[in-house]
């Protein structure tokens, strides 16, 4: 966006004093110094405005780069992070914001503004779900730490598969033949994670009965591997929402959106089984929530890609 400064040219009116009784005296005019000062001010102001236009034009060029460059990614990300800082602070710790900035830059570089919008939607919806009935969750001891403000471990664990897909896309691994698969895997990973986050947070807030997924035994809210009807439905709705956003912004097509939803639910089921069977068990102390998140979103990403390829080959056989 260009900014122009309108500096009106102010001409100093001449001053002609009247001396009716001294006609022999010549007319007097204002000295030229004020006019010179005005000219200097006008010239310097125009020069300053011209000097500012250079950096602004460069910044606008970065923002409008298509395809995205690292410069445009950093510049765009910085502007959005400054404008969205109140939301970021409510959902992330300081180190979490730094990690999110790196994720946002990588996302913009790989998939442009539409990819960034997808991640932003994931963050806003996920943060809102985390804040639901926070006081109740804290009283029950099932709330996220720091009042739901997630740290770098959570950011990395939630975006690991997406970052891998973005990196593969940036480096052109597989060429055009695989470029869309990386995009599909990227969308599926965030659909999976959003579904997991919303189902967990809504389940802890509203779940009336919580079952252990492996035995269907009734367990307290917040138990690893436990599910509730309320949380499961909310997670399904969240995955549908994000997949629909991915479709609207052109990241995936309608069939792939459906595949992302299916993959997210299968991955979340697998994550619940892992949580119930292995997490907090002897020999699996390393399997914390962040590690389980990485496994979960990786499964969702891979499942979506596999299902897309199976469906594509099936359709090709029918055509042939």
């Amino acid at each position: 966006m260009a900014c122009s400064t309108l500096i009106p040219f102010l001409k100093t009116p001449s001053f002609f004093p009247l001396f009716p009784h001294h006609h022999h005296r010549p007319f007097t005019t204002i000295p030229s110094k004020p006019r010179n000062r005005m000219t200097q001010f006008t010239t310097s102001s125009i020069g300053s405005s011209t000097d500012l236009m250079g950096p602004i034009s460069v910044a606008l060029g970065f923002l409008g780069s298509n395809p995205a460059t690292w410069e445009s990614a950093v510049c765009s990300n910085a502007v959005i992070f400054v404008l969205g800082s109140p939301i970021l602070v409510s959902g992330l710790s300081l180190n979490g914001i730094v990690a999110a900035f790196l994720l946002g830059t990588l996302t913009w570089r790989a998939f442009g503004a539409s990819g960034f919008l997808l991640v932003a939607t994931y963050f806003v919806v996920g943060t809102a779900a985390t804040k639901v009935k926070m006081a109740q969750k804290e009283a029950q001891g099932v709330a996220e730490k720091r009042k739901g403000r997630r740290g770098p471990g959570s950011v990395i664990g939630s975006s690991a598969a997406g970052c891998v897909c973005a990196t593969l896309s940036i480096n052109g691994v597989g060429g055009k033949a695989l470029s869309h698969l990386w995009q599909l895997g990227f969308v599926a990973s965030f659909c999976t994670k959003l579904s997991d986050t919303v189902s967990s947070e809504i389940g802890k807030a509203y779940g009336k009965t919580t079952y252990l997924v492996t035995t269907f035994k009734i367990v307290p809210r917040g138990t690893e591997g436990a599910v509730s009807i309320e949380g499961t439905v909310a997670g399904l709705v969240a995955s549908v929402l994000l997949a629909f956003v991915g479709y609207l912004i052109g990241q995936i097509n309608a069939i792939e959106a459906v595949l992302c939803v299916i993959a997210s639910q299968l991955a979340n089921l697998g994550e619940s089984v892992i949580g119930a069977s292995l997490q907090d068990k002897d020999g699996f102390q390393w399997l914390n929530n962040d590690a389980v998140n990485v496994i979960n979103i990786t499964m969702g990403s891979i499942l979506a890609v596999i299902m897309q390829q199976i469906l594509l080959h099936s359709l090709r056989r029918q055509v042939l």
Side-chain angles (χ1 to χ4, degrees):
M1 182 176 72
C3 176
S4 61
T5 305
L6 179 61
I7 303 178
F9 176 77
L10 301 177
K11 184 176 181 180
T12 306
S14 299
F15 174 62
F16 297 98
L18 299 177
F19 300 96
H21 302 292
H22 303 279
H23 297 290
H24 60 280
R25 297 181 61 181
F27 289 118
T28 306
T29 59
I30 288 180
S32 59
K33 286 185 179 180
R35 181 174 296 186
N36 289 341
R37 288 174 183 171
M38 180 62 72
T39 304
Q40 291 172 359
F41 169 76
T42 304
T43 305
S44 62
S45 298
I46 294 174
S48 300
S49 300
T50 304
D51 292 340
L52 289 173
M53 290 306 297
I56 292 175
S57 298
V58 172
L60 290 174
F62 286 157
L63 291 172
S65 297
N66 188 20
T69 62
W70 284 114
E71 291 83 358
S72 68
V74 172
C75 185
S76 304
N77 209 26
V79 171
I80 293 171
F81 265 57
V82 170
L83 295 176
S85 56
I87 299 176
L88 289 169
V89 171
S90 69
L92 296 170
S93 67
L94 179 59
N95 291 334
I97 291 175
V98 173
F101 183 84
L102 297 177
L103 167 63
T105 301
L106 182 66
T107 298
W108 195 294
R109 174 63 181 84
F111 304 116
S114 61
F116 188 94
L117 178 60
L118 185 89
V119 177
T121 304
Y122 153 78
F123 173 75
V124 171
V125 176
T127 300
T130 302
K131 300 294 184 181
V132 171
K133 289 196 173 184
M134 178 58 72
Q136 172 187 305
K137 295 174 186 175
E138 288 178 330
Q140 295 174 348
V142 296
E144 290 290 328
K145 299 176 182 178
R146 300 181 295 270
K147 292 188 177 296
R149 296 174 67 234
R150 301 177 188 270
S154 179
V155 174
I156 295 171
S158 301
S159 63
C163 288
V164 171
C165 291
T167 302
L168 293 172
S169 178
I170 291 171
N171 290 284
V173 176
K176 291 184 178 180
L178 297 182
S179 62
H180 186 67
L181 291 183
W182 309 141
Q183 200 163 7
L184 172 61
F186 176 83
V187 176
S189 71
F190 283 99
C191 285
T192 301
K193 183 50 192 167
L194 182 62
S195 179
D196 175 52
T197 299
V198 171
S199 63
S200 175
E201 296 298 334
I202 298 303
K204 288 186 287 188
Y206 297 103
K208 295 180 180 179
T209 306
T210 309
Y211 304 92
L212 199 62
V213 72
T214 51
T215 63
F216 291 100
K217 178 183 176 181
I218 297 177
V219 293
R221 293 176 181 175
T223 302
E224 296 298 342
V227 297
S228 67
I229 295 175
E230 295 82 0
T232 301
V233 172
L236 175 61
V237 172
S239 66
V240 171
L241 171 64
L242 197 60
F244 183 62
V245 171
Y247 164 71
L248 287 180
I249 61 181
Q251 288 281 307
I252 53 176
N253 59 40
I255 295 176
E256 290 168 343
V258 175
L259 295 180
C260 284
V261 173
I262 296 173
S264 69
Q265 300 313 297
L266 292 174
N268 284 340
L269 177 61
E271 187 249 10
S272 296
V273 172
I274 292 173
S277 304
L278 302 176
Q279 201 167 355
D280 296 332
K281 301 296 190 297
D282 291 339
F284 292 94
Q285 286 79 6
W286 58 271
L287 197 63
N288 57 19
N289 285 334
D290 294 335
V292 172
N293 283 338
V294 172
I295 296 172
N296 181 30
I297 61 177
T298 301
M299 286 193 297
S301 182
I302 292 174
L303 283 171
V305 170
I306 291 175
M307 287 191 293
Q308 191 257 25
Q309 287 296 291
I310 292 174
L311 181 61
L312 186 62
H313 287 300
S314 177
L315 292 175
R316 284 175 178 173
R317 282 200 208 97
Q318 291 179 7
V319 172
L320 295 176

